[in-house]
Amino acid sequence: MLFRPYPGGVGSRGIAGESAREGYQHARGRRRRKDGLRVTLAAGVVAAGWLVYRMAAGERRLVIEGSLALLLVGVLLWRGDSDTKRWLRGAGGEVATASVLEELPPKRWEIFHDLAVPGSKANIDHLAIGPTGVWVIDSKTTRAPVRIGVLSVRFGERRLETDAVRWQAEIVGERLGVKARPVIAIHCDSPAGAPRFSRQGVRRGGARIILAGDLTRRLERGRRRLRRGDVQSLAGDVLEHFRPASASARQNWVRD
C-alpha cells in the first residue's frame, strides 16, 4: 500500500482518501479476476490447439501453428480496464491535501474530507469552512509538466477540467444556503513539472487552481465573510446534508 487514509485532526471530520482506497481495492479485485480468466483462457487455447494439431497433418499444421500463436499472444496481451494506479494516485493526493489543511487553525476552521455528493456516485475531496467562507477543494496529482495557458491549465497535453469541482461547489452552496467557491489543489510529483503559479494561484474555467503548498495561505487571506458562530452552524448543516463517501467511514460519522 502506497498511502494511508488520513483521519484528520482537531476540527476535521471524515477520512481523506478513504473512498479512493476502497475504489483501489475494488479495481485490484477486478484486475485479479480478469488476470485469472486470462490465464485460464490461455491454458484452454494451448490445450485445444494441441489436440487439433495432433489430428492435423502437412500444411494444415502450419496454419494451425500460426493461428494458435496469434490467438495465444492476443489472450496474453489482453488486460482488464481497471486503472488501479489511478486510484492510488488520487488517494495519495487527497491525503497530501488533508495534511496541508491541517495547518488551518482548528478553532476557526471546520474541515471535512471525502463527502458523498447527494444523489450521485461522485465525492467531494475536501470541504473547508472558515472566516473567509466555504471552499470546495479538489485534489489533483500529476507527473506531467503543468502548463498555464490564457484560458486553461494543462497536465502535459491534457486539459485540466474544472466542471466537476464547480458542480460540487454549486451543490454545496444550494444545500448550505451560502456561496461555495471551487478550488483545485495541485500536487506535482516531479519538481521539473512544477508550474510557475503565483502564491494566489490562477483562476481558470470558473475555479481557483493553486499549488497545494499555497492552499492554506490563499484560504486564510481572503475577506472575512463568516463569524465563528456562522462557521459552526454551517458545519452542522454539512453533517445534516452530507455523508462520507466511503462505506467504512460512515460507521464512524459523528453528528455533533
Side-chain angles (χ1 to χ4, degrees):
M1 184 64 63
L2 300 179
F3 70 95
R4 294 180 180 178
Y6 187 87
V10 178
S12 296
R13 295 183 179 87
I15 303 177
E18 181 69 0
S19 63
R21 183 191 67 83
E22 291 182 354
Y24 163 75
Q25 297 290 356
H26 290 315
R28 187 173 65 170
R30 289 194 299 269
R31 172 61 62 83
R32 285 178 173 175
R33 289 191 294 272
K34 289 181 178 180
D35 284 348
L37 177 60
R38 185 164 57 93
V39 172
T40 302
L41 288 175
V45 168
V46 171
W50 176 249
L51 290 176
V52 175
Y53 179 80
R54 291 291 302 272
M55 297 172 61
E59 294 183 357
R60 290 184 178 180
R61 283 195 170 189
L62 294 177
V63 175
I64 293 173
E65 285 178 348
S67 301
L68 177 61
L70 290 174
L71 184 58
L72 184 59
V73 168
V75 170
L76 292 177
L77 291 180
W78 174 67
R79 302 292 294 178
D81 56 358
S82 299
D83 185 0
T84 55
K85 291 184 179 180
R86 176 175 60 85
W87 287 107
L88 284 178
R89 289 195 299 270
E94 292 180 39
V95 169
T97 301
S99 181
V100 170
L101 291 172
E102 193 69 17
E103 299 172 6
L104 292 170
K107 292 184 178 181
R108 291 188 292 162
W109 287 85
E110 296 285 348
I111 310 297
F112 299 86
H113 304 295
D114 200 24
L115 297 175
V117 177
S120 169
K121 293 182 179 180
N123 75 298
I124 298 169
D125 290 349
H126 317 277
L127 176 60
I129 306 175
T132 59
V134 178
W135 303 81
V136 175
I137 304 161
D138 189 24
S139 295
K140 296 294 183 185
T141 301
T142 181
R143 291 175 289 185
V146 179
R147 301 170 182 173
I148 305 171
V150 176
L151 299 178
S152 65
V153 171
R154 291 182 176 273
F155 293 171
E157 299 301 321
R158 180 172 62 87
R159 178 173 179 166
L160 175 61
E161 297 295 338
T162 61
D163 292 348
V165 70
R166 287 192 293 108
W167 170 70
Q168 292 168 8
E170 290 175 2
I171 297 296
V172 170
E174 291 174 359
R175 295 296 176 120
L176 302 187
V178 296
K179 179 179 177 60
R181 286 176 285 178
V183 180
I184 297 178
I186 298 178
H187 299 271
C188 299
D189 286 354
S190 172
R196 295 182 178 178
F197 280 125
S198 70
R199 300 194 70 175
Q200 297 297 313
V202 297
R203 187 168 180 82
R204 299 289 187 274
R208 176 72 55 179
I209 303 171
I210 192 170
L211 291 178
D214 297 326
L215 179 61
T216 56
R217 176 187 174 92
R218 176 66 186 89
L219 266 54
E220 286 196 282
R221 292 204 170 188
R223 180 170 62 87
R224 295 298 184 264
R225 302 168 186 269
L226 300 175
R227 295 173 296 180
R228 179 57 185 166
D230 299 326
V231 172
Q232 293 176 333
S233 177
L234 288 171
D237 292 339
V238 172
L239 293 171
E240 179 69 27
H241 294 288
F242 295 89
R243 294 291 180 272
S246 69
S248 58
R250 292 190 198 105
Q251 300 174 1
N252 301 317
W253 191 243
V254 178
R255 185 186 299 272
D256 292 339

